[in-house]
Amino acid sequence: MSKPNVIVIGGGLGGLWATLRIADAGFPVTLFSLFEVKRSHSVCAQGGINAVLDTKGQHDSIRQHIIDTIKGGEYLANQPPVKSMCEDAPGLIRTFERMGVTFSRTPEGLLDQRLFGGVKNKRTCFAGASTGQQLLYGVDQQVRRLESEGKVVKHEWWEFLSLLLDSAGVCRGIVAMDLNSLEVRAFSADAVVVASGGMGQLYAPKSTTSTNSTGAAASRCYRQGAWMANAEFFQFHPTAMMGHDKNRLMSEAARGEGGRIWVPKTPGDRRPPKTIPEAERFYFLEEFFPAYGNTVARDEAARAIWTVTRQMGLGIGGDGGDRVYLDLTHLDAAFIGSRLGAILEIYRKFAGVDPMTEPMEIFPAAHYGMGGLWVDFERSADGGIQPESPRNHATNIPGLYACGECDYAYHGANRLGANSLLSASYSGRVAGEAVVSYLKGLASDRGPLSPEIPQAEVVRQQAINADLMQAEGADTPYLIQKELGALMTGKVGVVRSNPELESALGELQVLRERLSKARLGESSTWANQSLAFARQLGDMIELAGVVTRGALARDECRGAHYKPAFRIPIPEGRFAGDPEFEAYRDRWHANNAQWLKTTIAEHTEDGPRLSYREVDLSVYAPTEPRDYR
Amino acid sequence: MTEQPIHLRIRRQDRPDTAPYWQEFAILGHSDHNIVSLLMALRENPVTISGERVDPIVWEHNCMEEVCGSCAMLINGVPRPSCSALVADLDQPIRLEPLPKFPVVRDLLVDRRRIDQGLKQVKAWIKIDGVWDTHEGAPRIGPDAWAADYLYSRCMSCGCCMAACPQFGPHSSFIGPAPLAQARLMNAHPTGRYDKTERLHAIMAEGGLSDCGNAQNCVRVCPKEIPLTTAIGELGRQTTVQLLKDLFGPR
């Protein structure tokens, strides 16, 4: 019997870590990526990666990192994986360091750490202003080393289309398409790892994610029976700079250093912002949140911007007036130049406007999917996850694993700043280790996949291509994606209501029908990007349906999912011990009893079938509501 | 801000082995449009100035924040990422061509895997025992050394430096500036230093350092302002020392 082999889909932090771990263990890996591996969205994360090293004399503890993560996610994350992730974070950092990642250093030449959102201690390692890029390059270089040793084979510019499942429902390989020749081919494998990233393009162009973050690969697994979990939780970042192509993140630091957010008090005021007198400006964050003002938490700020633009009609900007000003012009130029250099440069470079002299125009942008493919774990005796258990990061399809942003674990309902690079790296490593255990446990008499299965699947996929190439409808897929992004941003965004979610489901159905009749606008059989895009769009609409259905069903406010009709407000000026606060805590507990559950979506021909699973709360019981007052 | 027609001339090529041709487009846009966003708008309705409907333009893009390196192309004759190229700063008609020196796949999409080959050639990695935790920190790196190394670690393999280099291209085996700069970076690392000799021998061979003509084009076009020529200079000194070691050093 030849050595079992593995396919990894996606070359971001998660995929490359999984590749490294599997190839290191001696199993051949074939890596599939839509583009050259170095270009995945992991490079965009700037802020840093959390790990408790306690280098700053603050008595930081891993226990505190675990609690911050759990509370940050409003208790929705299974706690054993969170515990193990936080415990393993320092070791991951040490491994990255050995790979040569250029982490920023202290005067002594040691790792430097800084403060990040939602946390009280300096716990975040960083590499200048490009941490994600540096981490990705660290693992990319190691994968290249293994590639040169013949342990890894890369298939760049290949797109994953579907899984090959045997008669027992076990994943035995994939069907993929060469994005240049459009050749559709089956590849057999003994295990498959999906590490295909997030789905921010559902909200395009009002999303901070890369254009390839469509979620299509995860959606394809979902259509073949993999469960999606907690898809309704999607984090929006309040201050992203508007672009015609995408939104680019303006760090929280801009507000931290004194930036003020405002809109003109008069709707439709078209005067240049600098000419609008102070008295005619509405500094709404300062009015809504007198104690915190402009530095109020991300989700609160995003909702306030939503209220002011969508409900009060005070937004600026041409198309629908959905932007607000983020103003730094009143600050000392030398001061902000030294403290905010990186974002000033981005704004100047991409908007062509200097934020030191003109207020920036910003919008809350879709940023990070908390939900994704459901993955399992095995709890260990110490309350974390069992190292090297084949159950870790396994989807419900045997032989199929998921890691990185495309899985749902670690963040719960909301993501703690600087935990995404950590979870992508950690989950990739864990998934890799789990796959190795899975391969070692495979029965040696497992026969080969019966050849009819890949043959039939290739034919089916070719037929989908042929249908799309021949369609002669009214719309192009690019136009339909624009409408999808507007629909999701408008009705399944920062603030949600059941009537709007209901109507979004209907509109998604219409988009699906229009796509089935769309025309590509070209018929070339070489590097036809419209074909690949049209296929992705179908999968995106499917996924949008899962997000929307989950949001419609979840009648509460939790983390990144907010429905004002079901809000349980903290009584103002009341704290623990006060009868009013305790009454609030009782309501909060009652709500948890109903909703502190993982949403599971299963694909059916009539749309997603939802069910709910208990969350493993064995590390830190939910007794304290999230309260950042 | 009102929309204005923006005039584009785009060099197209249907397949790697077919002849290139030019097409012209006028598309409504704002001056804060970048080239990627114009091309995105254009693919929704790809009609030339003479009213002919054509195939959507093929090009590569991903992060659009100038970190992934995928969207580089020749814009008005200069190699640069198209995401950070704003219409307001460009003379019209704006000429878009595929990044030169690399094989064209289609239209503005090129195959830059030769960069990857170069990185393998110079062994642009730190050799480690494995990716597990050894419970040991990495060697210390002082802030000054960090600052110098960090510049090189930001190379995103966009290929602009190679496109601008007169020595690099299908006509030569020259490895190009980007992989050389990575050799400089890895040689400076306290662990990477162990394999310095191997890397230097790789760049002392054919297609290596001595093929650099010192035109300095690379450093002028690098979007990340990486001091490529400084790296090449440092490697020059390192290879000279290595040469002497090879001649006179202990075997």
Side-chain angles (χ1 to χ4, degrees), chain A residues 17 20-21 24 34-36 38-41 43-44 46 90-92 94-95 97-110 126-131 133-134 137 140-142 144-145 147-149 154 156-157 180 208-213 242 244-249 323 345-346 348-353 429 476 478-479 481-482 519-530 533, chain B residues 3 13-16 30-34 36-37 40-41 43-46 53-71 83-86 89 104-106 109-117 119-120 123-143 146 149-150 153-159 182 185-186 189 191 223-225:
Chain A
W17 257 107
L20 281 180
R21 212 63 183 100
D24 242 354
L34 297 172
F35 34 76
E36 292 155 317
K38 261 183 120 165
R39 314 204 186 280
S40 66
H41 184 58
V43 295
C44 281
Q46 300 181 336
L92 263 177
R94 287 193 290 268
T95 310
E97 256 203 298
R98 284 164 51 224
M99 291 177 189
V101 170
T102 50
F103 284 116
S104 294
R105 302 280 163 161
T106 67
E108 299 151 74
L110 298 168
F126 58 105
S130 58
T131 313
Q133 188 186 15
Q134 305 305 328
Y137 291 0
D140 174 63
Q141 286 154 10
Q142 296 304 318
R144 190 169 294 108
R145 175 172 66 83
E147 192 191 8
S148 73
E149 293 169 12
K154 283 182 190 158
E156 291 169 324
W157 292 306
N180 290 337
T208 63
T209 66
S210 296
T211 42
N212 282 294
S213 302
M242 302 294 300
H244 299 282
D245 45 356
K246 72 173 287 189
N247 285 6
R248 299 177 177 91
L249 207 61
R323 319 171 184 190
E345 189 194 317
I346 289 181
R348 270 191 219 113
K349 218 167 200 174
F350 289 96
V353 171
R429 201 186 76 183
T476 67
Y478 300 111
L479 197 77
Q481 189 210 8
K482 234 174 160 173
R519 73 185 143 81
L520 297 186
E522 71 162 310
S523 55
S524 169
T525 53
W526 176 256
N528 185 332
Q529 291 181 333
S530 305
F533 185 75
Chain B
E3 290 195 325
Q13 187 171 333
D14 297 339
R15 283 174 176 269
H30 297 288
S31 59
D32 68 338
H33 261 288
N34 56 25
V36 175
S37 63
M40 284 176 140
R43 72 183 176 184
E44 285 169 27
N45 190 28
R53 179 166 290 280
V54 295
D55 284 353
I57 290 141
V58 170
W59 85 106
E60 208 175 10
H61 53 92
N62 196 24
C63 82
M64 301 189 295
E65 299 190 5
E66 215 190 57
V67 261
C68 80
S70 63
C71 69
C83 64
S84 55
L86 296 188
D89 303 331
V104 174
V105 176
R106 186 177 169 188
L109 176 70
V110 296
D111 182 345
R112 283 171 284 189
R113 275 180 290 196
R114 213 174 134 187
I115 304 177
D116 205 40
Q117 281 305 320
L119 293 173
K120 278 182 206 147
K123 300 187 193 305
W125 49 72
I126 306 294
K127 214 183 277 172
I128 59 173
D129 187 35
V131 291
W132 47 83
D133 181 11
T134 57
H135 304 276
E136 294 277 341
R140 293 188 180 198
I141 295 174
W146 174 81
D149 296 345
Y150 179 69
S153 69
R154 297 197 67 202
C155 170
M156 53 188 185
S157 298
C158 62
Q182 292 307 297
L185 174 66
M186 298 302 155
H189 188 270
T191 310
K224 291 293 161 194
E225 294 170 5

Side-chain angles (χ1 to χ4, degrees), chain B residues 86-105:
Chain B
L86 296 188
V87 168
D89 303 331
L90 296 166
D91 291 333
Q92 293 191 34
I94 301 168
R95 254 181 316 129
L96 304 180
E97 299 169 74
L99 208 58
K101 312 294 176 69
F102 298 101
V104 174
V105 176

